[in-house]
Amino acid sequence: IILFISFLFLYNAKPLITGEIQTLFVEREIPFDYILLKDQILNHDNYFRTLWIPSYSRWGIYNNKHPKVSTVNLIQNELKDFLDYEIKGYNWPIGQQIVYILNQPYSNNLIDTASIKYVIIPLNDTKNDDDFFIYYGEHKFFENELDKIPYLQKTNLNLKEVIVYENKNYYPHIHAPNNIYLAK
Protein backbone atom coordinates (compact mmCIF):
# COMPACT_ATOMS: atom_id res chain seq x y z
CA ILE A 1 0.00 0.00 0.00
CA ILE A 2 2.86 2.38 0.85
CA LEU A 3 4.54 1.66 -2.48
CA PHE A 4 1.28 2.26 -4.34
CA ILE A 5 0.68 5.60 -2.59
CA SER A 6 4.31 6.62 -3.18
CA PHE A 7 3.96 5.73 -6.85
CA LEU A 8 0.87 7.96 -7.11
CA PHE A 9 2.73 10.92 -5.60
CA LEU A 10 5.75 10.38 -7.87
CA TYR A 11 3.54 9.98 -10.93
CA ASN A 12 1.76 13.27 -10.14
CA ALA A 13 5.12 14.99 -9.58
CA LYS A 14 6.48 13.82 -12.95
CA PRO A 15 5.54 17.05 -14.86
CA LEU A 16 7.27 19.08 -12.15
CA ILE A 17 10.44 17.00 -12.37
CA THR A 18 10.58 16.83 -16.20
CA GLY A 19 9.67 20.49 -16.74
CA GLU A 20 6.45 19.71 -18.63
CA ILE A 21 4.45 21.80 -16.17
CA GLN A 22 5.87 25.09 -17.56
CA THR A 23 4.35 28.15 -15.77
CA LEU A 24 6.24 28.98 -12.56
CA PHE A 25 8.99 26.47 -12.99
CA VAL A 26 10.35 27.61 -16.36
CA GLU A 27 13.01 30.28 -16.38
CA ARG A 28 11.97 33.48 -18.18
CA GLU A 29 14.26 36.06 -19.71
CA ILE A 30 13.35 39.71 -20.26
CA PRO A 31 13.89 40.63 -23.93
CA PHE A 32 16.51 43.35 -24.35
CA ASP A 33 14.03 45.63 -26.17
CA TYR A 34 12.02 45.99 -22.97
CA ILE A 35 15.11 46.94 -20.99
CA LEU A 36 15.91 49.68 -23.52
CA LEU A 37 12.28 50.83 -23.51
CA LYS A 38 12.27 50.98 -19.72
CA ASP A 39 15.32 53.21 -19.72
CA GLN A 40 13.77 55.47 -22.36
CA ILE A 41 10.49 55.88 -20.46
CA LEU A 42 12.06 56.38 -17.04
CA ASN A 43 14.39 59.10 -18.43
CA HIS A 44 11.39 61.42 -18.68
CA ASP A 45 10.43 63.40 -15.58
CA ASN A 46 7.08 64.61 -16.87
CA TYR A 47 3.83 62.66 -16.56
CA PHE A 48 2.52 60.69 -19.54
CA ARG A 49 0.81 57.42 -20.32
CA THR A 50 1.83 54.63 -22.67
CA LEU A 51 -0.83 53.00 -24.83
CA TRP A 52 -0.11 49.35 -25.63
CA ILE A 53 -1.65 47.86 -28.76
CA PRO A 54 -3.32 45.41 -28.48
CA SER A 55 -2.31 44.77 -24.89
CA TYR A 56 0.66 45.36 -22.62
CA SER A 57 3.42 42.86 -22.15
CA ARG A 58 4.36 41.48 -18.77
CA TRP A 59 7.76 43.11 -19.33
CA GLY A 60 6.37 46.58 -20.04
CA ILE A 61 7.42 49.28 -17.60
CA TYR A 62 4.94 51.45 -15.74
CA ASN A 63 4.78 53.48 -12.56
CA ASN A 64 2.67 56.30 -11.08
CA LYS A 65 4.36 58.86 -13.33
CA HIS A 66 4.04 56.70 -16.47
CA PRO A 67 0.94 54.47 -16.28
CA LYS A 68 0.19 51.95 -19.00
CA VAL A 69 -3.08 51.57 -20.88
CA SER A 70 -4.24 48.61 -22.96
CA THR A 71 -6.47 49.15 -25.99
CA VAL A 72 -8.13 45.80 -25.39
CA ASN A 73 -9.20 46.92 -21.91
CA LEU A 74 -10.32 50.30 -23.22
CA ILE A 75 -12.48 48.79 -25.95
CA GLN A 76 -14.06 46.28 -23.62
CA ASN A 77 -14.77 48.89 -20.93
CA GLU A 78 -14.41 52.67 -21.28
CA LEU A 79 -14.66 53.03 -25.08
CA LYS A 80 -17.17 50.30 -25.91
CA ASP A 81 -19.91 52.89 -26.49
CA PHE A 82 -17.81 54.47 -29.26
CA LEU A 83 -17.85 51.30 -31.36
CA ASP A 84 -20.49 51.03 -34.07
CA TYR A 85 -21.72 47.45 -33.70
CA GLU A 86 -24.85 48.11 -35.75
CA ILE A 87 -22.74 48.67 -38.87
CA LYS A 88 -19.95 46.15 -38.19
CA GLY A 89 -21.81 43.48 -36.21
CA TYR A 90 -21.10 41.92 -32.84
CA ASN A 91 -18.60 39.40 -34.28
CA TRP A 92 -16.28 42.24 -35.26
CA PRO A 93 -12.62 41.20 -34.65
CA ILE A 94 -10.98 43.07 -31.79
CA GLY A 95 -8.02 44.10 -33.95
CA GLN A 96 -10.44 45.89 -36.28
CA GLN A 97 -12.12 47.54 -33.28
CA ILE A 98 -8.77 48.92 -32.10
CA VAL A 99 -7.98 50.37 -35.52
CA TYR A 100 -11.51 51.79 -35.79
CA ILE A 101 -11.18 53.67 -32.49
CA LEU A 102 -7.79 55.12 -33.45
CA ASN A 103 -9.04 56.37 -36.85
CA GLN A 104 -12.04 58.41 -35.75
CA PRO A 105 -12.18 62.23 -36.07
CA TYR A 106 -12.03 62.54 -32.27
CA SER A 107 -9.17 60.03 -31.81
CA ASN A 108 -6.34 62.55 -31.95
CA ASN A 109 -7.99 64.71 -29.30
CA LEU A 110 -8.79 61.64 -27.20
CA ILE A 111 -5.16 60.47 -27.24
CA ASP A 112 -3.89 64.00 -26.51
CA THR A 113 -6.30 64.58 -23.63
CA ALA A 114 -5.48 61.18 -22.11
CA SER A 115 -1.81 62.27 -21.88
CA ILE A 116 -0.65 59.39 -24.05
CA LYS A 117 2.86 60.09 -25.31
CA TYR A 118 3.90 56.67 -26.60
CA VAL A 119 1.86 54.07 -28.46
CA ILE A 120 3.66 50.74 -28.24
CA ILE A 121 3.26 47.50 -30.16
CA PRO A 122 4.98 44.80 -28.09
CA LEU A 123 6.95 41.97 -29.63
CA ASN A 124 5.68 38.48 -30.41
CA ASP A 125 7.28 36.86 -27.35
CA THR A 126 6.47 33.17 -27.80
CA LYS A 127 9.70 32.19 -26.02
CA ASN A 128 8.42 33.64 -22.72
CA ASP A 129 4.79 32.65 -23.32
CA ASP A 130 3.85 36.34 -23.73
CA ASP A 131 2.24 36.15 -27.18
CA PHE A 132 -1.25 37.63 -27.16
CA PHE A 133 -1.35 38.39 -30.88
CA ILE A 134 -2.91 34.97 -31.43
CA TYR A 135 -6.05 36.39 -29.78
CA TYR A 136 -6.13 39.95 -31.12
CA GLY A 137 -4.58 40.00 -34.60
CA GLU A 138 -1.24 39.95 -36.35
CA HIS A 139 1.69 42.10 -35.22
CA LYS A 140 2.28 43.35 -38.78
CA PHE A 141 -1.40 44.31 -39.13
CA PHE A 142 -1.15 46.75 -36.21
CA GLU A 143 2.13 48.18 -37.49
CA ASN A 144 0.67 48.77 -40.97
CA GLU A 145 -2.44 50.43 -39.56
CA LEU A 146 -0.57 52.68 -37.13
CA ASP A 147 1.76 53.78 -39.93
CA LYS A 148 -1.32 55.32 -41.60
CA ILE A 149 -2.37 57.41 -38.58
CA PRO A 150 -1.17 61.00 -39.11
CA TYR A 151 -0.97 62.11 -35.46
CA LEU A 152 1.42 59.27 -34.54
CA GLN A 153 5.05 59.28 -35.61
CA LYS A 154 7.18 56.12 -35.56
CA THR A 155 10.25 56.68 -33.40
CA ASN A 156 13.65 55.07 -33.54
CA LEU A 157 14.65 54.04 -30.03
CA ASN A 158 17.12 51.39 -31.29
CA LEU A 159 14.62 48.64 -30.57
CA LYS A 160 14.63 45.55 -32.75
CA GLU A 161 11.11 44.16 -32.39
CA VAL A 162 9.11 46.47 -30.13
CA ILE A 163 7.59 49.27 -32.21
CA VAL A 164 7.04 52.68 -30.63
CA TYR A 165 5.03 55.60 -31.99
CA GLU A 166 5.17 59.04 -30.44
CA ASN A 167 2.29 61.45 -29.98
CA LYS A 168 4.07 64.80 -29.85
CA ASN A 169 0.94 66.81 -28.97
CA TYR A 170 -0.06 65.00 -25.78
CA TYR A 171 -1.37 67.20 -22.99
CA PRO A 172 0.21 67.33 -19.55
CA HIS A 173 -1.61 65.58 -16.74
CA ILE A 174 -3.21 68.82 -15.56
CA HIS A 175 -4.11 71.24 -18.30
CA ALA A 176 -6.68 73.87 -19.18
CA PRO A 177 -8.43 73.85 -22.55
CA ASN A 178 -7.97 76.83 -24.88
CA ASN A 179 -11.65 77.07 -25.73
CA ILE A 180 -14.59 76.56 -23.43
CA TYR A 181 -17.96 76.11 -25.05
CA LEU A 182 -21.09 76.81 -23.07
CA ALA A 183 -24.21 74.82 -23.75
CA LYS A 184 -27.34 76.86 -24.37
Side-chain angles (χ1 to χ4, degrees):
I1 293 175
I2 294 173
L3 286 174
F4 179 71
I5 293 173
S6 300
F7 173 75
L8 288 177
F9 281 115
L10 288 174
Y11 183 74
N12 285 331
K14 178 185 156 269
L16 181 63
I17 295 167
T18 61
E20 296 172 52
I21 197 165
Q22 304 273 313
T23 64
L24 291 175
F25 304 103
V26 173
E27 188 174 328
R28 307 287 183 197
E29 185 176 324
I30 300 174
F32 190 64
D33 275 4
Y34 290 116
I35 295 170
L36 291 174
L37 182 63
K38 174 191 72 126
D39 294 340
Q40 178 68 27
I41 290 174
L42 294 180
N43 280 339
H44 295 283
D45 287 335
N46 53 339
Y47 177 90
F48 63 82
R49 290 183 174 98
T50 56
L51 178 65
W52 293 75
I53 295 180
S55 187
Y56 42 78
S57 168
R58 70 175 72 175
W59 311 117
I61 184 68
Y62 67 95
N63 58 21
N64 289 338
K65 202 182 275 188
H66 310 296
K68 64 182 176 180
V69 181
S70 163
T71 51
V72 171
N73 292 343
L74 286 176
I75 285 174
Q76 293 175 347
N77 297 307
E78 289 86 2
L79 297 179
K80 69 181 174 187
D81 295 333
F82 289 91
L83 296 171
D84 199 355
Y85 287 113
E86 283 146 20
I87 294 174
K88 302 291 184 178
Y90 285 97
N91 293 329
W92 193 10
I94 198 152
Q96 295 289 334
Q97 294 176 33
I98 291 169
V99 170
Y100 178 83
I101 285 293
L102 294 174
N103 282 312
Q104 296 307 303
Y106 54 80
S107 299
N108 187 5
N109 192 29
L110 183 68
I111 298 292
D112 292 345
T113 309
S115 300
I116 294 173
K117 180 175 183 173
Y118 292 119
V119 177
I120 303 167
I121 303 174
L123 61 90
N124 252 350
D125 193 8
T126 54
K127 180 181 173 186
N128 290 310
D129 199 26
D130 194 31
D131 179 23
F132 32 75
F133 289 101
I134 56 175
Y135 305 112
Y136 304 124
E138 294 293 321
H139 187 272
K140 193 69 176 167
F141 166 76
F142 290 111
E143 181 181 4
N144 290 338
E145 292 298 322
L146 264 60
D147 283 343
K148 298 174 191 173
I149 297 176
Y151 59 89
L152 296 176
Q153 181 180 5
K154 193 181 272 190
T155 62
N156 183 7
L157 302 177
N158 296 323
L159 306 175
K160 292 180 182 172
E161 297 180 69
V162 175
I163 300 168
V164 180
Y165 294 84
E166 187 173 0
N167 175 24
K168 294 191 183 276
N169 298 322
Y170 74 98
Y171 295 151
H173 189 48
I174 299 174
H175 67 278
N178 295 336
N179 316 3
I180 298 178
Y181 299 100
L182 299 175
K184 292 183 180 184

